Amino acid sequence: MDCGYFDAGRCTSCALMGQPYPEQLAAKQAHAEELLAPFGVGAWHPPVASGERDYRNKAKMVVGGTVDAPTIGILDADGHGVDLQACGICSPGHRAAFPVLARFITRARIAPYDVTARRGELKHLIVTESPDGELMVRFVLRSTEPVSRIRKHLPTLLAELPQARVVTVNLLPEHKAVLEGESELVLTEQETLPMRLNDVTMHLRPQSFFQTNTAIAAALYAEAREWIRELAPDSAWDLYSGVGGFALHLASGTAGIGRDGAGSPGPEITGIETSVEAVASAELSRADAALSRLRFAAGDATAFALAADAPPDLVVVNPPRRGIGAELAGWLEQSTGVSHVLYSSCNAASLAKDLRAMPSYRPVRARVFDMFPQTTHFEVMVLLERR
């Protein structure tokens, strides 16, 4: 993939831009195999390739420039806006929406936030596109000052951008390098964005995490379901469950023949996630799908495991980049009732660190999923079996 912004030095976020994609994928596979080699992976499945461009479902753009000439992209080293509206890894839906949103910023007189001077209002635009082409548009503001004007001109925005299902204002009054604040004001009748992957529909709320690459996320969840279906567990936990991608796929697709050869309704599954917004999203999806053997709760994954009366047959973990940590890894190592762990990691180095703390488990299969083309990052999923 070629990128004019990268070639001109205006944006270097995609560190592998210009490198042939087959080379990128081969290097990621080799890196994953090198890191996990000490643990003797039973079988490596071929890596799952992504499209080279247009793959991001979520665009996190800094707004700069002026109210009459806003930029949507990033800031340079001096804090000036760099416009990236034609970014090739963003979806076509994003690129079509950016000019409309730029006009709306001018129409509603929402002054872009000046980082150096610490004045202005609009810090970021966060735009998420569903597989059906609908959008969630979030304006990250310093204060509520522009909200009345946003409300006033919202009908015009929705007329020009009819695919915008959810529009919100997020408040980030502090001057710090974070993407969003805690407070969210929904301006549209609809509050969630349906994300339809495989045969599962997830309802995404404004502050909920969702995998960046829709096609690869669908492949990841489908593969997980296939691996777990073969195990036929009676009970499972989905720790770091987010909006429920793994749990919903397991609950809706793992019923069938149990380990005793009799019919099985599928495992009893509990999803644990710290984000209350994500749990609300997951519960809505669970209720819509009428999955009676699945529940979600807000809480810390490690604290939940340590306080549980009894362990499940299977534990699914999909932690942030830091991994599951020594305490949870130690609990899994000591909990002999957990026969399998499905570990999906966005950081193979922290995965390797966690595996060193769980010597009673061996990785029987593994697969790389290229969630982030043009970068060095990737997702790797391993199935661990107690020795």
Side-chain angles (χ1 to χ4, degrees):
M1 174 182 170
D2 294 319
C3 173
Y5 298 133
F6 185 87
D7 293 342
R10 297 180 64 189
C11 176
T12 57
S13 299
C14 295
L16 302 183
M17 187 64 69
Q19 180 178 341
Y21 183 66
E23 293 181 11
Q24 295 183 31
L25 193 60
K28 292 178 182 185
Q29 178 69 26
H31 185 51
E33 291 186 14
E34 178 185 6
L35 286 171
L36 300 189
F39 310 103
V41 176
W44 277 100
H45 297 257
V48 179
S50 170
E52 296 185 43
R53 56 177 297 123
D54 303 337
Y55 70 83
R56 288 195 67 94
N57 57 36
K58 186 175 185 177
K60 300 175 285 189
M61 310 298 268
V62 181
V63 180
T66 66
V67 70
D68 289 309
T71 60
I72 298 175
I74 59 174
L75 300 180
D76 65 17
D78 297 320
H80 301 135
V82 177
D83 196 80
L84 302 177
Q85 291 187 45
C87 174
I89 66 170
C90 289
S91 73
H94 291 142
R95 294 195 293 272
F98 291 148
V100 180
L101 292 169
R103 291 194 298 272
F104 181 78
I105 291 167
T106 301
R107 182 182 298 116
R109 311 306 294 172
I110 316 170
Y113 184 68
D114 186 322
V115 173
T116 303
R118 300 195 179 191
R119 63 171 180 261
E121 289 293 338
L122 182 56
K123 296 182 175 183
H124 305 120
L125 274 175
I126 306 174
V127 184
T128 303
E129 184 178 27
S130 78
D132 296 319
E134 293 184 310
L135 300 176
M136 177 186 292
V137 178
R138 302 171 63 207
F139 296 89
V140 181
L141 303 177
R142 184 175 64 90
S143 76
T144 59
E145 188 274 331
V147 171
S148 61
R149 298 192 300 279
I150 293 175
R151 287 188 183 275
K152 175 183 176 181
H153 295 284
L154 184 59
T156 302
L157 174 62
L158 296 178
E160 294 184 3
L161 197 64
Q163 60 270 44
R165 175 186 172 93
V166 182
V167 179
T168 77
V169 162
N170 177 274
L171 294 177
L172 179 60
E174 300 87 1
H175 179 82
K176 57 184 181 181
V178 296
L179 182 65
E180 60 190 53
E182 297 180 0
S183 179
E184 196 91 21
L185 176 63
V186 180
L187 304 180
T188 48
E189 180 181 354
Q190 300 296 331
E191 298 184 0
T192 65
L193 184 67
M195 303 292 287
R196 181 178 48 81
L197 273 66
N198 304 314
D199 55 353
V200 172
T201 298
M202 286 163 278
H203 293 271
L204 190 63
R205 298 177 70 86
Q207 296 188 42
S208 300
F209 167 80
F210 194 81
Q211 296 283 9
T212 299
N213 188 321
T214 302
I216 297 299
L220 178 74
Y221 295 143
E223 186 89 349
R225 183 158 64 184
E226 288 303 311
W227 290 4
I228 299 309
R229 182 183 284 126
E230 297 175 11
L231 304 177
D234 292 325
S235 57
W237 293 346
D238 180 6
L239 305 182
Y240 312 94
S241 58
V243 296
F246 283 102
L248 289 161
H249 276 78
L250 300 187
S252 63
T254 53
I257 304 300
R259 285 173 292 184
D260 59 1
S264 168
E268 290 274 2
I269 303 173
T270 300
I272 300 297
E273 166 60 43
T274 56
S275 167
V276 175
E277 283 285 299
V279 170
S281 297
E283 270 294 298
L284 178 58
S285 303
R286 181 203 61 78
D288 278 359
L291 297 170
S292 61
R293 295 173 63 80
L294 169 63
R295 75 177 186 95
F296 294 96
D300 176 76
T302 302
F304 172 81
L306 268 58
D309 294 331
D313 299 328
L314 165 75
V315 173
V316 178
V317 292
N318 182 28
R321 290 191 58 79
R322 64 178 180 274
I324 64 174
E327 195 170 15
L328 182 53
W331 180 88
L332 285 166
E333 174 67 15
Q334 298 299 320
S335 298
T336 56
V338 181
S339 59
H340 291 88
V341 176
L342 184 73
Y343 194 135
S344 183
S345 170
C346 61
N347 183 358
S350 62
L351 167 61
K353 180 179 179 181
D354 289 335
L355 290 183
R356 283 193 289 272
M358 298 188 290
S360 294
Y361 288 96
R362 66 183 185 95
V364 293
R365 54 173 60 176
R367 193 166 204 177
V368 167
F369 294 80
D370 193 12
M371 195 77 71
F372 314 99
Q374 315 307 332
T375 79
T376 58
H377 302 295
F378 57 90
E379 192 89 4
V380 58
M381 186 168 68
V382 296
L383 178 64
L384 307 175
E385 180 178 78
R386 189 171 291 278
R387 298 180 189 274

